[in-house]
Amino acid sequence: MSGPSSEQAGRPNQRRRTRKDLLQAAARLMQAGRQPSLEEIAEAAAVSRATAYRYFPSIEALHREASLDIAVPEAAAVLGDTRSQDPVQRLERIDAALSSMIAANEASLRMMLAQSMERVVRGGHDAEVPARQNRRSPLIEAALAPARSQFRPAAVKTLEQALALVIGTESMVVCKDVLQLDDAQALKVRRWAIRALVEAAKKAD
């Protein structure tokens, strides 16, 4: 039985790029002081209006997520002034920067998370279209970049995926809502988990 064609294999990446293009187009227009319509955003992203609606259920959802895109720190801004190649130290910087962004935008992030979950549950979500934008993985990858030789290639990939469970909005929700931790306790737990995951990846076969 033959495997998937290169066209089929490339479709998930193309869909992720399309979603990112829409967000970036919206962010550019919003940074210019505009409150763009879905049609304007679609035109700026070089996609159809129908395509834009496949990725976002409403213009309000697109505006909200684009504003969060603007708020997410760039890896260069977070890591650019450090010479450290210690993966734990670099990951702690990423965690601190994202935690600050999350604290400043908690209501919007919770609403975005709730809407994406509700859309999937109600069946209004196209299974071929990404439900969420992955903003944390590029930051995690940048933090680990100088230390990749310390890990086996397969261990690095697993480490990046495991860290995505610890760093980000869902971690905030678990710490606050499920575990009922205060900010200091939540920070301690995340830092412990980051160190433990890095050490486990170094020992992985």
Side-chain angles (χ1 to χ4, degrees):
M1 182 176 178
S2 61
S5 68
S6 59
E7 180 183 357
Q8 290 173 322
R11 284 175 185 167
N13 288 334
Q14 179 59 51
R15 288 189 286 267
R16 284 191 288 269
R17 285 195 296 270
T18 299
R19 195 178 195 281
K20 185 175 182 180
D21 288 346
L22 283 163
L23 284 169
Q24 289 179 336
R28 286 195 303 271
L29 293 169
M30 292 169 69
Q31 285 175 316
R34 300 176 59 185
Q35 193 76 349
S37 67
L38 189 69
E39 290 78 6
E40 291 172 318
I41 295 168
E43 182 178 356
V47 301
S48 69
R49 183 174 181 272
T51 296
Y53 265 121
R54 285 187 67 203
Y55 287 83
F56 296 93
S58 67
I59 186 60
E60 292 79 15
L62 179 47
H63 284 169
R64 182 181 300 110
E65 193 164 345
S67 69
L68 294 172
D69 252 22
I70 295 169
V72 172
E74 296 285 342
V78 179
L79 301 169
D81 65 344
T82 180
R83 295 183 179 180
S84 174
Q85 296 191 352
D86 178 5
V88 171
Q89 290 181 8
R90 291 170 65 87
L91 287 164
E92 286 177 349
R93 279 196 169 213
I94 293 297
D95 175 64
L98 273 181
S99 293
S100 294
M101 186 280 292
I102 290 167
N105 298 277
E106 182 175 337
S108 292
L109 286 162
R110 283 180 178 272
M111 189 171 294
M112 183 186 71
L113 180 60
Q115 286 179 338
S116 67
M117 295 174 69
E118 183 180 15
R119 194 176 179 200
V120 172
V121 169
R122 289 187 173 183
H125 172 65
D126 185 341
E128 293 187 350
V129 173
R132 295 275 303 280
Q133 198 71 20
N134 185 357
R135 299 172 181 85
R136 69 195 75 178
S137 289
L139 294 169
I140 291 170
E141 290 166 9
L144 290 174
R148 294 185 78 86
S149 62
Q150 298 179 26
F151 311 94
R152 293 181 181 273
V156 173
K157 188 64 176 176
T158 301
L159 174 60
E160 290 170 350
Q161 293 168 339
L163 287 165
L165 301 173
V166 176
I167 298 172
T169 306
E170 291 81 3
S171 174
M172 177 273 293
V173 172
V174 170
C175 287
K176 275 195 168 185
D177 298 359
V178 180
L179 301 178
Q180 299 184 355
L181 303 179
D182 61 30
D183 291 343
Q185 292 171 322
L187 175 64
K188 183 177 179 180
V189 169
R190 291 197 312 275
R191 295 294 165 86
W192 186 94
I194 288 170
R195 289 193 298 271
L197 288 170
V198 170
E199 289 305 313
K202 287 181 178 178
K203 297 173 183 176
D205 293 332

